[in-house]
């Protein structure tokens, strides 16, 4: 029984890593459904296991040391169970623009409530791994909501989204960025930084930056910029790696959005709330040799970057290019989708799929084989 339990723990961890790696490599795993013949690890602490035990230990009803792992196993399993029941891939249904938002939200909320009841209400935020588990559930369902509403899902790229829908999507994205920042701030989280770093919600980050091109001032914008600038500090590679086309594009978008903020504040006769240029913006401008005047701001255009080969998108310095402060050009979501997907961190339909296991390999850990 001891070997079987640890075997299940290892198999599921490998499965999760395999799925994550497949997503980063852009391997389509949408047809690889887990068959359900390998059971989850038990909800027990390490102290409940003994190498000489012959009987299965009694599972706990509350949270244990396995809560973080069990949530990840359960999430993939629940989605696939729903797919089997409905005779369709729920993830692709959520991404279908013809599916009403209310129907998508009903499915997501129902599944979220299940996780709240089974896991969250038993978690103690004073225990680091349980706090991480609570946050992970919030972010997982934020990702589903973002996937179901993202402008890239729609033929008009979100041009006809209502203001209410835009505000809702902005709040979802900002929530995920806030949790990322909190994870970096908490003194208890360094041991889990591998998970926080690997699950940085870059698609949410890009959406907020794009929205801030048009909603550049006010309390909401002030708060969003505070979170965005802190996030830049935590993920400094986005600032320093000028050989990565994705990071270059994010820097360009950040400068464009910050320039819109400065221009609007100047138009209103106001100054920046903190009175100075934030460090991330200064770094980005220095990289691009950007010079800003009160009546104009400079940046590298998204369209110019999109038309260049990837190997030419890295640069040391770029001549400043003026942009109108009220730029209303819609963002090219296909362009961003390609860039972010190529980086392996974009949440697409395949990243929630679990691979099919070789049944010969897993037979030992099936309940009937113990």
């Amino acid at each position: 029984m001891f070997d079987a339990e640890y075997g299940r723990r290892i198999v599921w961890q490998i499965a999760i890593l395999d799925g994550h790696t497949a997503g980063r490599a852009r391997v389509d795993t949408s047809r690889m459904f887990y068959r359900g013949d390998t059971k989850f690890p038990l909800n027990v602490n390490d102290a409940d296991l003994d190498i000489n035990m012959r009987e299965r230990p009694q599972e706990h009803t509350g949270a244990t040391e396995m809560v973080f792992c069990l949530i990840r196993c359960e999430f993939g399993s629940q989605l696939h169970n729903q797919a089997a029941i409905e005779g369709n891939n729920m993830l692709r249904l959520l991404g279908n623009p013809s599916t009403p938002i209310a129907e998508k939200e009903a499915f997501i909320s129902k599944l979220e409530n299940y996780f709240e009841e089974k896991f969250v209400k038993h978690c103690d935020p004073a225990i680091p791994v349980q706090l991480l588990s609570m946050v992970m559930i919030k972010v997982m369902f934020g990702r589903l909501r973002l996937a179901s509403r993202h402008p890239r899902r729609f033929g008009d790229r979100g041009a006809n989204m209502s203001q209410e829908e835009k505000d809702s999507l902005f709040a979802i994205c900002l929530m995920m960025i806030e949790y990322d920042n909190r994870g970096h701030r908490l003194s208890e989280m360094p041991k889990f930084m591998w998970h926080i770093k690997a699950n940085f919600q870059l698609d949410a980050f890009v959406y907020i930056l794009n929205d801030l091109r048009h909603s550049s001032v006010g309390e909401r914008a002030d708060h969003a910029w505070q979170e965005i600038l802190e996030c830049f500090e935590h993920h400094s590679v986005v600032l320093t790696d000028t050989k990565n086309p994705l990071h270059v594009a994010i820097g360009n978008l950040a400068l464009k959005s910050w320039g819109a903020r400065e221009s609007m504040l100047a138009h209103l006769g106001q100054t920046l709330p903190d009175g100075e240029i934030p460090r991330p913006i200064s770094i980005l401008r220095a990289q691009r040799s950007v010079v800003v005047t009160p009546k104009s701001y400079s940046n590298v255009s998204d369209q110019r970057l999109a038309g260049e080969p990837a190997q030419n998108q890295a640069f040391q310095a770029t001549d400043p290019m003026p942009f109108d402060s009220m730029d209303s050009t819609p963002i090219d979501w296909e362009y961003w989708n390609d860039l972010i997907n190529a980086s392996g961190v974009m949440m697409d339909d395949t990243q929630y799929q679990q691979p099919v296991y070789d049944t010969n390999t897993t037979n030992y850990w099936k309940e009937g084989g113990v």
Side-chain angles (χ1 to χ4, degrees):
M1 175 59 73
F2 179 86
D3 289 344
E5 174 59 19
Y6 266 88
R8 293 189 188 109
R9 292 186 178 195
I10 293 170
V11 164
W12 278 101
Q13 283 299 104
I14 291 174
I16 292 169
L17 290 172
D18 194 22
H20 184 73
T21 302
R24 293 185 70 88
R26 302 191 70 182
V27 174
D28 183 7
T29 60
S30 60
R31 297 179 183 177
M32 298 181 181
F33 290 96
Y34 171 59
R35 298 171 183 171
D37 53 3
T38 300
K39 294 189 177 295
F40 290 161
L42 298 174
N43 185 32
V44 296
N45 295 311
D46 288 350
D48 299 318
L49 302 176
D50 184 273
I51 194 169
N52 297 313
M53 66 184 185
R54 292 291 179 266
E55 295 183 0
R56 171 175 171 164
Q58 183 67 37
E59 290 195 79
H60 297 268
T61 55
T64 69
E65 295 163 352
M66 285 298 293
V67 64
F68 176 79
C69 297
L70 288 174
I71 289 171
R72 297 205 293 174
C73 294
E74 184 79 27
F75 188 68
S77 178
Q78 282 294 324
L79 288 177
H80 294 318
N81 288 342
Q82 287 295 325
I85 293 170
E86 301 292 336
N88 197 352
N89 187 332
M90 286 290 103
L91 291 168
R92 299 207 182 279
L93 181 64
L94 290 176
N96 188 340
S98 64
T99 304
I101 291 294
E103 184 178 336
K104 296 178 182 180
E105 182 58 34
F107 169 78
I108 295 172
S109 295
K110 180 180 179 181
L111 193 58
E112 185 177 28
N113 289 337
Y114 171 83
F115 276 80
E116 291 278 346
E117 284 296 313
K118 185 169 183 177
F119 297 106
V120 174
K121 78 175 186 179
H122 299 293
C123 288
D124 181 355
I127 301 174
V129 71
Q130 294 184 26
L131 173 61
L132 179 66
S133 299
M134 297 169 71
V135 170
M136 181 171 65
I137 287 176
K138 289 292 186 183
V139 173
M140 285 192 310
F141 286 98
R143 291 177 72 180
L144 283 186
R145 289 186 168 95
L146 173 57
S148 68
R149 294 167 166 82
H150 201 290
R152 71 188 179 94
R153 299 288 192 186
F154 302 91
D156 63 359
R157 297 293 179 260
N160 292 318
M161 287 178 66
S162 68
Q163 189 58 49
E164 182 180 2
E165 291 172 333
K166 291 178 181 178
D167 291 343
S168 175
L169 187 52
F170 186 92
I172 291 167
C173 292
L174 187 57
M175 175 271 292
M176 291 191 281
I177 300 302
E178 288 172 338
Y179 276 124
D180 184 274
N181 286 334
R182 291 177 189 175
H184 282 85
R185 280 190 231 121
L186 292 173
S187 59
E188 304 91 339
M189 288 295 112
K191 65 181 70 175
F192 303 113
M193 203 53 63
W194 61 270
H195 176 80
I196 295 172
K197 294 287 188 183
N199 290 276
F200 175 42
Q201 304 305 307
L202 198 51
D203 44 356
F205 191 78
V206 168
Y207 183 86
I208 293 173
L209 278 176
N210 177 62
D211 188 278
L212 289 171
R213 290 192 305 160
H214 315 295
S215 303
S216 54
V217 297
E219 290 185 6
R220 188 185 81 155
D222 291 346
H223 175 60
W225 270 113
Q226 181 181 0
E227 296 293 336
I228 285 290
L229 293 169
E230 180 180 348
C231 205
F232 265 124
E233 299 287 1
H234 296 315
H235 300 275
S236 58
V237 66
V238 180
L239 293 173
T240 59
D241 183 6
T242 58
K243 296 188 181 299
N244 185 316
L246 174 61
H247 296 164
V248 171
I250 290 173
N252 294 338
L253 181 59
L255 288 180
K256 195 169 190 177
S257 298
W258 186 261
R261 177 173 172 79
E262 287 182 327
S263 183
M264 180 57 71
L265 287 171
H267 177 74
L268 297 173
Q270 301 176 10
T271 58
L272 293 171
D274 55 6
E276 61 182 25
I277 305 300
R279 194 182 79 93
I281 299 300
S282 296
I283 291 174
L284 292 172
R285 283 178 172 169
Q287 288 172 348
R288 293 152 176 77
S289 299
V290 171
V291 179
V292 180
T293 66
K295 294 183 178 180
S296 68
Y297 61 92
S298 305
N299 193 9
V300 182
S301 74
D302 298 333
Q303 290 73 27
R304 175 182 172 183
L305 186 63
E308 295 182 359
Q311 64 268 25
N312 294 335
Q313 290 174 9
F315 58 89
Q316 298 302 319
T318 305
D319 293 334
M321 299 177 62
F323 284 84
D324 186 275
S325 60
M326 298 304 291
D327 173 30
S328 60
T329 305
I331 196 167
D332 183 354
W333 287 114
E334 282 302 318
Y335 159 60
W336 280 102
N337 187 43
D338 290 344
L339 270 184
I340 300 178
N341 244 340
S343 75
V345 295
M346 181 68 171
M347 189 212 74
D348 59 16
D349 297 329
T350 68
Q351 289 191 15
Y352 286 120
Q353 307 297 338
Q354 299 286 2
V356 174
Y357 309 127
D358 181 349
T359 55
N360 292 326
T361 304
T362 58
N363 275 340
Y364 183 78
W365 295 292
K366 295 179 187 176
E367 186 64 29
V370 175

